[in-house]
Each structure stands twice: as structure tokens, then as C-alpha cells.
Amino acid sequence: MRSTFVRGGAALGAAALALTAFTACGDDEGNGKAGGRKGGDAAQPVDVTPAAAVRKATEKAEEFTSLEYRMAGEVPGEGVMEGTGAISMEPPAMQMTMTVDGATPDESGEMEIRLVDDAMYMNLGEEAAAQMGGKTWLKIAMSDAEGGEGGNPLLEMKQADDNPAEEAQMMNAADDLKKVGEEEIEGVETTRYTGTVTLDDLRAELTGLDAKAKKNRQEKIDEMAEQGVDEFTMDMWIDGEDHTKQFRMQAETKEGPLDTTMTFLSYNEPVTVKAPPASETTDMNGMMQDMEGAEGGA
């Protein structure tokens, strides 16, 4: 069952990436589809500098409520992933289906995760059901996740709305931003921009941030430094309404290459996430107590 939890943590990490890039996709009029101009219209006015275009996109979404996205890429230590998901910011809820192609069969497979009502539900599949009384879903309540050592993907997912623009905003630190050209993404005309960001670039911006943003940025710097990342490349595809249609991040880590792409399919559309039927769900806390009891009896 360990490999299943590993895949679940990776899937939540991918969802967190979607959240951090979220602010770049908002619609200040509350419209639903992440669209843009189609056909031959220019995606961005010709007099907009790359820095101004990226900054405007990262500041666009103060009124977002939800996001539907597709994710694909390679995550160090986990393997090649692809999946789809939907996230609601208020109330917090998330549903994601992720396929992982890991280094071994045990580390590969499909994972579905739901976050709703202060709990995370993981569909562990038929193989794990044999260890859970025939039930395929595992419930981890928020209260059970608190107080543990190290990073907890459930808590990270719950707290991601503290600064959902963090990853996308980091692109503003690049001093080599440039326009790549016009590209069509999901039938939408966009302009692609790219830039390289170093950890020193991010540190140089710390003094201009408020206390909360500074804390979040420092934590991100420390996390990336621990992963052996010194610099990373970001690409942003911006449509004709200054909304991010796609976002890519690439870096070299101690465990190998990181290369993830988020494509935004819609935003500010209703997202409904339901908890799995209780008859198909095992509670994590109860399962651990049963295991401890069995060990004590032995």
C-alpha cells in the first residue's frame, strides 16, 4: 500500500502546482471559460513588453472561484504523470484523477483523490481493498493529518489558498523574459513568454514583500534549494484577455528533471465534489487503531 500513498502524494503535489499558478488564470468579470481570441486576431498588443504581459497575467485573478485543468509531465522520484482535475477555492474542494508511470509496476497505476468536507479521500483500487475489508476508498480527516512531522500533502492542499499565485508570480523575478511567439492552445490563440529564474533572483525580491508573502517565498526557496534546484525555466501562454492558458515549469533536481505543464480548461465554473459512499470507505484513523490493537495483542 506504500506505493499507493506515494502516488497520492505526487498527485496532490500536482494539484498544488495548479493552485499556485491559479491566479494567472482569473477573469475579473467572473466569466466561466478560459478562452481568448480565436482565429487570426493577435493574442497580445504588439507594444506590450514581455515583463508587462506576464505581470498583468499574474495579477489578473483576484475574483477567481474555481479551476479545471489538465496536467502532464515528469516529477523527480515519481515518474511520468498525466491527469485532470477541478478545484474550488471557496468552499475548498478538489477532485483529481492521475495516471503515474513509475520506475516499477508497484509505483505505477491510476489514482483518484477527492478533497471535500475537511477530509481527503484516496481511491486505492481493488488490490488495496483486500487489506481494507473490501473497501476501495481511504478517508484521511484533516484532524488526523495535523501535528505530524514533515510535509503533509493534505495540509499543503488545504493551505494552498494562502498564496495561490506563488509559482506564477515567481516568473516576474526573471530578468530575461522574452516573447517566443504566437501559439494555439486548445483552439485559443495565445502568446508564449519564457524566462529563467534563479534562487538568487527570488532572494533579491524578499525585501519588497509583505510579511506573509515573504514567509511563503522563503519557504519555497528553501524547498527548492533542498531539492538541489539553483535555477528553473518558466513558460507562460497568455490569451488575448490577459489570462494564462498554459503554464510550464522545468528544472534539474538532485533526483532528476522536473518538467510539468498545466493547461487551464475553464475557471469560475461550479465545481461539485462528493465524498465516496460510506459503504466503500475506510477511515484512516480507525484502520491505524485496528493495526495497533492487532500488534498489541500479538
Side-chain angles (χ1 to χ4, degrees):
M1 190 179 293
R2 174 188 168 278
S3 62
T4 304
F5 282 110
V6 171
R7 293 197 302 272
L12 280 172
L17 176 61
L19 278 171
T20 54
F22 198 2
T23 294
C25 319
D27 186 338
D28 46 8
E29 294 180 359
N31 295 328
K33 295 298 180 181
R37 295 189 180 98
K38 297 186 178 182
D41 291 345
Q44 291 285 343
V46 294
D47 59 343
V48 174
T49 66
V54 169
R55 186 177 301 107
K56 189 171 185 178
T58 58
E59 295 173 350
K60 188 73 174 181
E62 297 180 358
E63 299 179 5
F64 65 81
T65 58
S66 64
L67 171 68
E68 181 185 5
Y69 64 93
R70 181 175 65 245
M71 178 268 183
E74 184 175 2
V75 179
E78 307 299 342
V80 177
M81 301 182 178
E82 60 180 17
T84 58
I87 297 171
S88 170
M89 297 303 297
E90 190 59 43
M94 182 273 290
Q95 184 167 7
M96 176 181 235
T97 300
M98 179 70 67
T99 300
V100 182
D101 184 7
T104 67
D106 288 342
E107 297 173 345
S108 304
E110 186 173 288
M111 168 73 65
E112 181 180 357
I113 294 177
R114 300 179 189 178
L115 180 65
V116 61
D117 297 334
D118 288 331
M120 180 176 73
Y121 297 86
M122 301 171 61
N123 190 331
L124 305 183
E126 297 299 329
E127 182 178 350
Q131 305 177 46
M132 301 192 304
K135 299 179 180 181
T136 57
W137 288 90
L138 179 67
K139 175 183 178 181
I140 307 176
M142 185 66 65
S143 57
D144 297 334
E146 295 174 348
E149 297 181 358
N152 185 291
L154 176 58
L155 289 176
E156 291 171 4
M157 188 67 203
K158 182 70 173 179
Q159 297 168 355
D161 61 340
D162 284 349
N163 189 6
E166 183 64 21
E167 299 255 357
Q169 286 179 345
M170 290 193 301
M171 193 169 177
N172 290 313
D175 58 11
D176 63 347
L177 284 172
K178 64 180 180 180
K179 175 181 174 181
V180 178
E182 276 71 39
E183 297 181 20
E184 186 174 297
I185 304 294
E186 297 287 325
V188 175
E189 293 295 332
T190 70
T191 300
R192 178 181 178 182
Y193 298 92
T194 188
T196 303
V197 182
T198 69
L199 296 193
D200 285 341
D201 292 333
L202 298 181
R203 294 186 183 102
E205 286 196 331
L206 288 174
T207 55
L209 302 177
D210 59 38
K212 183 177 181 180
K214 184 176 182 179
K215 176 178 180 293
N216 290 339
R217 177 64 60 86
Q218 186 63 61
E219 289 176 351
K220 189 64 180 179
I221 293 173
D222 294 342
E223 175 188 336
M224 298 179 77
E226 184 177 347
Q227 294 173 347
V229 175
D230 181 59
E231 67 175 29
F232 50 95
T233 300
M234 289 183 163
D235 290 84
M236 186 179 290
W237 288 257
I238 303 174
D239 69 19
E241 298 177 352
D242 303 314
H243 303 144
T244 300
K245 182 64 179 175
Q246 189 164 272
F247 183 81
R248 183 182 186 186
M249 182 174 180
Q250 301 174 81
E252 288 294 331
T253 77
K254 293 186 296 186
E255 295 187 75
L258 167 70
D259 188 349
T260 57
T261 299
M262 311 297 303
T263 303
F264 305 110
L265 307 177
S266 71
Y267 47 81
N268 291 346
E269 291 281 350
V271 173
T272 301
V273 181
K274 295 183 178 180
S279 60
E280 301 175 14
T281 303
T282 292
D283 186 88
M284 177 71 170
N285 188 41
M287 186 174 70
M288 295 301 294
Q289 290 179 352
D290 290 343
M291 292 174 63
E292 291 173 358
E295 292 175 356

